[in-house]
């Protein structure tokens, strides 16, 4: 895809996808990071906390299915994750049923040292069943259409 | 529990992680659903010019998140957290996360703390991740 193809998709949101927050998924995610926080795995301890249930780590929403933006074909190679930024509105807890969607919200082309780069900013949104915003994230991905060696 | 009062210039409690391992990258791929082979397949990563597998930026961000949630404790809330991925992390790297308080405000019974946060391979070494985070902790 070229700059103009990406620009055509600006602001087109994926259809929200239902994601159930499973306690096993939380534990595996925390284990992979090596974070021993008991709130991620000790149900009794979590039940006594103000959360009442197991809590998901701050970057756990990375695991969600955000659906598909019709017409968006992301290359599988030559992508570099440049930035990631979260805004947290409510905690994500085991058993939550959440709705996740995303959109391409900014696209720019730059001439870099390593050739032409397309900067893609994706905005991710997670809402609960009541329609309240739980979390937002912005991810900047750098794509080099000519490929070439990653740095 | 009386919360610590933060001041600009205060360091957060640093977190040094065990060396990143290839197994960990496989586990993180599975747990996160990010199966980009540059993180797990040595030949693929070499062909891509990376010289070998590299860690997911999001794994290092997860390390910084661990430092933050350890700092904040159960009573506090992380409000925002963003990073730039500056340099690559490889198996064997020992990552230390750290942060410095930039601003402290009082709002509705909370202290709201904004800090610079980062991760580096060793103190004084180049930062692999650089960002900011804002959290709140009850005052009483």
């Amino acid at each position: 895809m070229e700059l103009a193809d990406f620009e055509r998709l600006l602001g087109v949101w994926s259809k929200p996808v239902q994601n159930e927050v499973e306690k096993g998924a939380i534990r595996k995610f925390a284990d992979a990071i090596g974070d021993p926080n008991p709130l991620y795995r000790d149900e009794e301890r979590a039940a006594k906390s103000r959360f009442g249930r197991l809590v998901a780590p701050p970057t756990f929403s990375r695991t969600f299915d955000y659906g598909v933006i019709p017409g968006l074909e992301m290359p599988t190679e030559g992508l570099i994750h440049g930035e990631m930024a979260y805004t947290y509105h409510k905690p994500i807890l085991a058993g939550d049923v959440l709705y996740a969607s995303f959109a391409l919200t900014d696209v720019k082309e730059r001439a870099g040292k390593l050739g032409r780069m397309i900067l893609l900013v994706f905005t991710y949104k997670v809402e609960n069943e009541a329609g309240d915003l739980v979390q937002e994230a912005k991810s900047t991905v750098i794509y080099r259409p000519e490929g070439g060696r990653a740095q | 529990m009386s919360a610590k009062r933060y001041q600009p210039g205060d360091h957060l409690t640093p977190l040094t992680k065990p060396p990143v391992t290839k197994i960990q990258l496989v586990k993180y791929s599975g747990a996160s659903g990010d199966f980009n082979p540059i993180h797990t397949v040595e030949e693929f990563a070499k062909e891509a010019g990376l010289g070998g597998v590299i860690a997911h930026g999001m794994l290092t961000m997860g390390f910084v998140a661990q430092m933050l949630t350890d700092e904040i404790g159960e009573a506090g809330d992380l409000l925002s957290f963003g990073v730039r991925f500056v340099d690559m992390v490889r198996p064997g790297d020992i990552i230390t996360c750290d942060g410095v308080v930039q601003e402290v405000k009082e709002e509705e019974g909370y202290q709201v703390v904004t800090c610079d946060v980062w991760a580096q391979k060793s103190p004084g070494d180049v930062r692999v991740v650089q960002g900011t985070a804002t959290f709140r902790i009850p005052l009483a």
Side-chain angles (χ1 to χ4, degrees), chain B residues 12-83:
Chain B
L12 307 185
T13 303
L15 170 72
T16 298
K17 298 290 291 176
V20 170
T21 65
K22 288 186 183 178
I23 296 281
Q24 182 170 34
L25 302 187
V26 172
K27 281 169 79 175
Y28 189 81
S29 295
S32 70
D34 178 350
F35 290 106
N36 189 327
I38 61 169
H39 305 303
T40 49
V41 182
E42 202 67 34
E43 300 75 35
F44 186 93
K46 281 184 178 147
E47 240 164 72
L50 297 168
V53 293
I54 60 167
H56 310 70
M58 289 300 297
L59 176 63
T60 310
M61 189 176 190
F63 296 165
V64 180
Q66 180 182 350
M67 172 192 68
L68 284 166
T69 47
D70 286 351
E71 179 78 31
I72 295 165
E74 272 183 51
D77 299 295
L78 187 58
L79 301 176
S80 64
F81 173 35
V83 299

Side-chain angles (χ1 to χ4, degrees), chain B residues 61-121:
Chain B
M61 189 176 190
F63 296 165
V64 180
Q66 180 182 350
M67 172 192 68
L68 284 166
T69 47
D70 286 351
E71 179 78 31
I72 295 165
E74 272 183 51
D77 299 295
L78 187 58
L79 301 176
S80 64
F81 173 35
V83 299
R84 273 186 306 122
F85 301 105
V86 183
D87 205 353
M88 294 186 289
V89 173
R90 297 176 184 282
D93 286 343
I94 296 169
I95 299 299
T96 296
C97 305
D98 201 350
V100 169
V101 174
Q102 296 299 323
E103 191 188 18
V104 184
K105 285 189 287 191
E106 287 192 15
E107 273 174 26
E108 297 162 9
Y110 287 91
Q111 51 179 337
V112 180
V113 180
T114 299
C115 40
D116 285 345
V117 292
W118 64 87
Q120 55 200 155
K121 290 182 192 174

Side-chain angles (χ1 to χ4, degrees), chain A residues 25 28-29 31-40 45 48-51 57-60 62-64 76-77 79 81-89 91 140 148-151, chain B residues 17 24 27-28 31-34 36 38 44 46-50 57-59 61-63 65-66 69-70 73-86 88 110 136:
Chain A
K28 276 186 198 139
F29 190 79
D31 282 352
I33 292 169
D35 186 338
N37 194 323
L39 289 179
Y40 303 151
R45 173 75 186 279
K48 283 184 213 140
S49 76
R50 72 190 168 101
F51 302 105
T59 59
F60 180 77
R62 184 70 173 166
T63 67
F64 292 165
T76 51
E77 291 179 34
L79 293 177
H81 199 184
E83 295 177 31
M84 188 73 182
Y86 292 96
T87 306
Y88 302 100
H89 300 285
T140 304
R149 296 169 94 71
Q151 49 179 323
Chain B
K17 298 290 291 176
Q24 182 170 34
K27 281 169 79 175
Y28 189 81
S32 70
D34 178 350
N36 189 327
I38 61 169
F44 186 93
K46 281 184 178 147
E47 240 164 72
L50 297 168
M58 289 300 297
L59 176 63
M61 189 176 190
F63 296 165
Q66 180 182 350
T69 47
D70 286 351
E74 272 183 51
D77 299 295
L78 187 58
L79 301 176
S80 64
F81 173 35
V83 299
R84 273 186 306 122
F85 301 105
V86 183
M88 294 186 289
Y110 287 91
R136 66 174 191 181

Side-chain angles (χ1 to χ4, degrees), chain A residues 46-114:
Chain A
K48 283 184 213 140
S49 76
R50 72 190 168 101
F51 302 105
R53 282 178 276 150
L54 291 177
V55 180
T59 59
F60 180 77
S61 59
R62 184 70 173 166
T63 67
F64 292 165
D65 180 356
Y66 289 85
V68 177
I69 297 172
L72 177 68
E73 289 163 32
M74 283 302 280
T76 51
E77 291 179 34
L79 293 177
I80 299 166
H81 199 184
E83 295 177 31
M84 188 73 182
Y86 292 96
T87 306
Y88 302 100
H89 300 285
K90 291 176 190 298
I92 292 179
L93 306 175
D96 280 353
V97 176
L98 302 171
Y99 292 84
S101 56
F102 81 119
L104 179 65
T105 49
D106 198 10
V107 57
K108 282 187 212 92
E109 190 170 284
R110 293 246 176 92
K113 276 181 293 190
L114 299 159

